[in-house]
Amino acid sequence: MSKLVRLKTKEIKHLRDEPLTFERLFSLCMSHGNLPFIRYVEDGYIKEVTYGREKERALATAQTIKKKVTLPKNSIIALAGENSRDWISAFWGILAAGYRPYLVNMHHDENTISRLLSSLNISLVIGERTFDGIPFLPYDEIVHEMYVEEETTEPWGQEVLLSSSGTSNLPKVYAFSSETLCLQIENEYYLGRPKPFFFKNKGKRPTHLAILPFYHIFGLCAVFIWYSWVGATFMIPMSLVPMNLAESIHRGECNLIFAVPNFYTSFEKAILAEVAKKDEKTQKKFEKGIKISLKLQAIFPRFGRWFAKKAFKEVRRKSLGERVTFMITGGGYIPENTLQLFNALGYRFVNGYGMTEIGIASVEVDSLKERISGSVGKPMKHYEYILEETNAQGIGKLYVKSDTMFDKQIVDGKEEIRDKSALFFTGDLAKCVKGKYYLFGRDDDVVVHPSGELISPSNVENHFTHEGIKSLAFIYHEINILFIQFEANISLKEKLSILEDLKSINVKLNPVFQIAAFKEATSIPMAMGFKISYRKLLNDYLANPTSYPLIEEEKEYVSDDLLGRIIHYFSVSTGVNESLIKPDTSYATIGSDSIAYYSMVYDMSTEFEKDNPLLEGLVFQTPEEFHKYYQSKEDK
């Protein structure tokens, strides 16, 4: 057992000897003196701040807040910002000043944020920006370096508030007490104690890429609280652009990465794109190496990982680096092939499960077979999973019971205290195999096919991942529909080529999964920036079906002078370049108003010396419709 684990074992044994307040949590998380706490890039150089300096800065910030804020103690103050040193100082500062921080989810749209702030009666925002004219204190007015030691008996804030991801309607706000968040430390300890890779970094303290937002439950608990408790260093990424993330990992000497599935799938795409550029022999060698690596790791784990690091040294160096030893994904569906790829490259890559309401509840940390199968592991120390209403395949609704879940929820300003003896329905469907749990999607997203089979959208989408596609969303509405958001600057010719590939995959699938319509989406609605909001997509589609066209070949038209003149009139009337107007382009999609339309039709009929279709009660929308009409008059 390492010195670090022995030290934490002693702390855990005495954790409940004192009240589990936020002051106690601050003491546990920020008591690492001269150990490096934060790394970040400034003016091209890596800067580093110790735990001791940040502890003083947070307490100094609390003193400033006490002087500047006149709200009643225990009022809610919104903290709005992305991960930064200032965010951390303000977070602890708000609590130490006796207030409750509401961690604004910066991935919500502005309207949603404003509605949530209004429902909480927020009268002060601290951070990067404010909303709807609510009084605002920017970081530079409250964050201070110089702490003046003082004796105080004033209580700290009693809760931290977070909002849910909002994949359906208005997100709810959940309050977590100090005791609830302190007990998250026990969850980490009992999960990580027998697994040294949780804390190991080649003899150094662990170094974490702080990519997960601290206002998200995964980032707050599994990254910020868990790893500040063990004295880890946090590397604040320069930006979320993949190239800058890779540089942050390398320059920050990160060995731990906890992120949402999109982070890993973007790196996976980049790796496979590089392999695709190689000759056929190299590609086959790569594929064979992946299979050999997984087989070796399954039989001889340590030797297998050594082989992977040697065999894929160059691939590792160009992607996530050679220092990374442990990675967790959570917060959404992760394809099995992504789990397999990164484990095959020698990274210990695992799947976890949690949600805003329940915190981080389980992580798969055991054998390779279970890691690459998509298991989310067994429930942690303070959790119990219960499956109800299971079907013939053993898939049921997942309920959770725990003392480390939210303490109360706030909906439209009304507080509801959670009954801690009651089961909580997560909204997820799951299956238990030999004590390990596997997720099958959200209950309200899972499709009940006419055949009676349950279809998880993510299981269908996983079959159709393709270079050039940014996002996919499967919805069943009378037929199976796959919405495709292409990467920017993909031409129609490339889209049609991708579509042919998807169709060749489609015909080989179980008929229940086969897509009846491939539709293009300019964007696919996301909650939290990474969870598909299927309900919103379906509502948008039903309200505006023409905004999601079928992906199909452009029709070939026989062009003549008459059609060219009609297109010219469309261009003059609408101001749209002639090259962008096709024979089937609808005036309603590019036109300005009815007067301009009537004027255009009058001018065309005058020039062509033909009847005016409007006088016959005919309202045509496309150049080809006008062309057909005028030609019919000519034939007569």
Side-chain angles (χ1 to χ4, degrees):
M1 187 188 300
S2 71
K3 182 179 178 182
L4 176 61
V5 173
R6 284 198 300 272
L7 176 64
K8 293 305 167 186
T9 300
K10 187 176 180 181
E11 271 188 10
I12 286 293
K13 287 180 179 178
H14 297 283
L15 183 66
R16 298 170 191 255
D17 291 355
E18 300 174 35
L20 299 177
T21 62
F22 277 113
E23 187 174 8
R24 179 85 187 287
L25 184 62
F26 178 72
S27 174
L28 288 167
C29 292
M30 301 301 294
S31 60
H32 305 292
N34 290 324
L35 289 177
F37 175 53
I38 292 174
R39 287 192 186 120
Y40 58 97
V41 176
E42 188 177 278
D43 298 327
Y45 295 95
I46 290 283
K47 300 292 179 82
E48 202 167 79
V49 178
T50 65
Y51 273 86
R53 279 185 61 193
E54 184 53 41
K55 183 177 181 179
E56 288 203 354
R57 193 176 196 249
L59 294 174
T61 299
Q63 290 177 334
T64 308
I65 292 173
K66 288 178 184 178
K67 292 174 184 175
K68 293 200 171 194
V69 177
T70 58
L71 295 172
K73 292 299 182 183
N74 215 38
S75 296
I76 303 173
I77 295 177
L79 175 55
E82 299 292 351
N83 292 2
S84 67
R85 186 187 178 194
D86 287 340
W87 189 98
I88 294 169
S89 300
F91 171 77
W92 288 122
I94 292 169
L95 284 167
Y99 297 101
R100 294 180 288 165
Y102 164 56
L103 311 183
V104 177
N105 185 331
M106 303 297 281
H107 281 144
H108 285 324
D109 62 80
E110 191 155 338
N111 180 54
T112 298
I113 292 175
S114 296
R115 290 168 65 194
L116 286 168
L117 294 176
S118 175
S119 73
L120 294 171
N121 295 315
I122 297 290
S123 56
L124 178 64
V125 177
I126 288 175
E128 296 174 2
R129 57 167 299 196
T130 190
F131 303 86
D132 284 351
I134 296 172
F136 173 58
L137 282 174
Y139 289 134
D140 58 11
E141 289 188 23
I142 60 107
V143 173
H144 283 263
E145 304 285 342
M146 298 302 295
Y147 170 60
V148 180
E149 199 161 333
E150 62 178 357
E151 286 189 17
T152 178
T153 57
E154 291 182 21
W156 283 43
Q158 298 171 9
E159 294 171 335
V160 171
L161 294 87
L162 300 90
S163 53
S164 60
S165 57
T167 50
S168 52
N169 299 315
L170 182 67
K172 297 181 178 69
V173 174
Y174 296 93
F176 292 81
S177 68
S178 55
E179 181 174 350
T180 297
L181 291 181
C182 280
L183 292 179
Q184 279 287 341
I185 286 175
E186 283 193 341
N187 283 329
E188 181 209 17
Y189 171 78
Y190 287 107
L191 175 70
R193 182 175 181 272
K195 308 293 179 184
F197 53 79
F198 244 81
F199 310 119
K200 193 176 179 183
N201 185 13
K202 295 182 179 179
K204 302 177 183 178
R205 293 270 173 159
T207 302
H208 221 303
L209 179 69
I211 183 177
L212 282 172
F214 294 154
Y215 50 72
H216 184 267
I217 193 70
F218 195 6
L220 181 67
C221 291
V223 179
F224 185 56
I225 291 177
W226 281 10
Y227 280 88
S228 58
W229 177 58
V230 298
T233 303
F234 298 96
M235 177 65 191
I236 306 294
M238 293 177 283
S239 78
L240 299 184
V241 176
M243 185 184 299
N244 287 339
L245 285 172
E247 187 177 349
S248 295
I249 294 167
H250 292 288
R251 295 187 66 185
E253 300 180 355
C254 301
N255 75 300
L256 299 171
I257 303 174
F258 294 1
V260 296
N262 282 359
F263 171 87
Y264 298 106
T265 54
S266 66
F267 272 92
E268 177 191 25
K269 285 179 181 178
I271 291 169
L272 297 180
E274 283 297 312
V275 173
K277 293 176 184 176
K278 307 293 183 183
D279 58 64
E280 188 177 350
K281 183 179 178 182
T282 304
Q283 291 180 39
K284 287 183 177 180
K285 186 178 178 182
F286 178 82
E287 292 168 5
K288 187 176 180 180
I290 293 291
K291 292 176 183 177
I292 292 172
S293 175
L294 292 174
K295 284 182 181 178
L296 283 176
Q297 289 186 57
I299 303 170
F300 308 108
R302 187 171 294 181
F303 174 72
R305 283 193 298 277
W306 175 86
F307 167 83
K309 291 173 184 177
K310 294 292 183 183
F312 298 106
K313 185 180 180 70
E314 190 64 16
V315 177
R316 286 165 57 91
R317 186 182 65 78
K318 289 182 177 180
S319 57
L320 297 174
E322 298 181 74
R323 286 182 173 272
V324 175
T325 56
F326 183 45
M327 308 189 302
I328 297 180
T329 184
Y333 173 75
I334 184 81
E336 285 185 20
N337 55 283
T338 308
L339 289 165
Q340 291 170 5
L341 174 67
F342 285 107
N343 275 287
L345 295 179
Y347 300 112
R348 192 181 266 102
F349 184 34
V350 305
N351 199 8
Y353 175 66
M355 55 195 301
T356 305
E357 297 88 331
I358 67 175
I360 311 305
S362 61
V363 179
E364 178 55 78
V365 292
D366 290 330
S367 73
L368 175 73
K369 180 181 178 182
E370 290 160 321
R371 293 204 306 272
I372 64 176
S373 67
S375 164
V376 295
K378 299 176 180 177
M380 292 188 202
K381 176 179 172 61
H382 290 285
Y383 292 91
E384 180 183 359
Y385 287 175
I386 299 97
L387 292 178
E388 296 195 352
E389 301 178 42
T390 54
N391 62 14
Q393 290 80 41
I395 300 170
K397 294 183 176 181
L398 179 62
Y399 288 79
V400 173
K401 190 174 182 181
S402 173
D403 53 0
T404 55
M405 287 166 53
F406 73 94
D407 294 277
K408 64 185 177 189
Q409 69 175 13
I410 304 172
V411 184
D412 292 328
K414 297 177 182 177
E415 295 188 355
E416 300 174 18
I417 307 297
R418 179 174 71 89
D419 178 0
K420 296 196 175 185
S421 64
L423 295 177
F424 175 78
F425 177 45
T426 63
D428 289 309
L429 298 178
K431 183 177 183 178
C432 182
V433 180
K434 297 181 180 179
K436 298 298 182 76
Y437 284 80
Y438 297 79
L439 299 179
F440 284 82
R442 299 287 296 167
D443 181 46
D444 52 359
D445 291 336
V446 167
V447 172
V448 181
H449 193 268
S451 66
E453 188 163 349
L454 297 178
I455 305 177
S456 171
S458 53
N459 286 342
V460 177
E461 293 153 7
N462 187 38
H463 290 290
F464 296 99
T465 56
H466 195 290
E467 186 178 354
I469 292 178
K470 183 176 182 180
S471 188
L472 293 165
F474 168 82
I475 282 180
Y476 178 83
H477 179 67
E478 299 178 351
I479 58 172
N480 287 353
I481 304 171
L482 187 68
F483 294 90
I484 302 173
Q485 180 184 355
F486 291 98
E487 299 282 5
N489 302 319
I490 295 289
S491 67
L492 176 62
K493 185 178 179 180
E494 290 171 312
K495 290 176 184 178
L496 293 172
S497 175
I498 292 170
L499 182 62
E500 285 305 307
D501 291 343
L502 300 189
K503 285 180 176 179
S504 65
I505 294 168
N506 196 41
V507 295
K508 299 174 185 176
L509 296 179
N510 181 325
V512 172
F513 292 160
Q514 285 182 357
I515 303 301
F518 293 89
K519 289 183 172 282
E520 183 172 1
T522 53
S523 66
I524 290 176
M526 294 282 189
M528 288 292 291
F530 60 84
K531 288 183 179 180
I532 295 173
S533 182
Y534 292 97
R535 186 178 299 179
K536 187 175 188 309
L537 176 59
L538 178 59
N539 290 340
D540 288 349
Y541 171 64
L542 295 178
N544 303 289
T546 56
S547 297
Y548 299 89
L550 286 167
I551 305 165
E552 56 188 356
E553 294 252 18
E554 285 186 308
K555 297 174 185 175
E556 289 191 9
Y557 298 91
V558 177
S559 183
D560 56 24
D561 291 340
L562 176 61
L563 182 60
R565 291 300 296 158
I566 294 170
I567 288 176
H568 171 72
Y569 273 104
F570 266 63
S571 175
V572 171
S573 177
T574 63
V576 175
N577 191 291
E578 286 186 34
S579 65
L580 300 177
I581 300 174
K582 306 301 179 187
D584 61 349
T585 298
S586 171
Y587 188 92
T589 63
I590 60 173
S592 49
D593 55 44
S594 56
I595 294 176
Y597 173 82
Y598 293 143
S599 176
M600 177 189 76
V601 177
Y602 176 81
D603 290 343
M604 282 197 298
S605 299
T606 301
E607 180 190 329
F608 303 149
E609 297 180 351
K610 307 291 184 190
D611 294 341
N612 187 329
L614 294 174
L615 298 178
E616 299 179 35
L618 302 174
V619 180
F620 299 127
Q621 286 292 334
T622 67
E624 66 178 335
E625 289 173 339
F626 280 105
H627 184 259
K628 186 176 181 181
Y629 171 80
Y630 290 133
Q631 275 198 327
S632 69
K633 296 298 180 181
E634 199 170 87
D635 293 339
K636 292 179 181 177

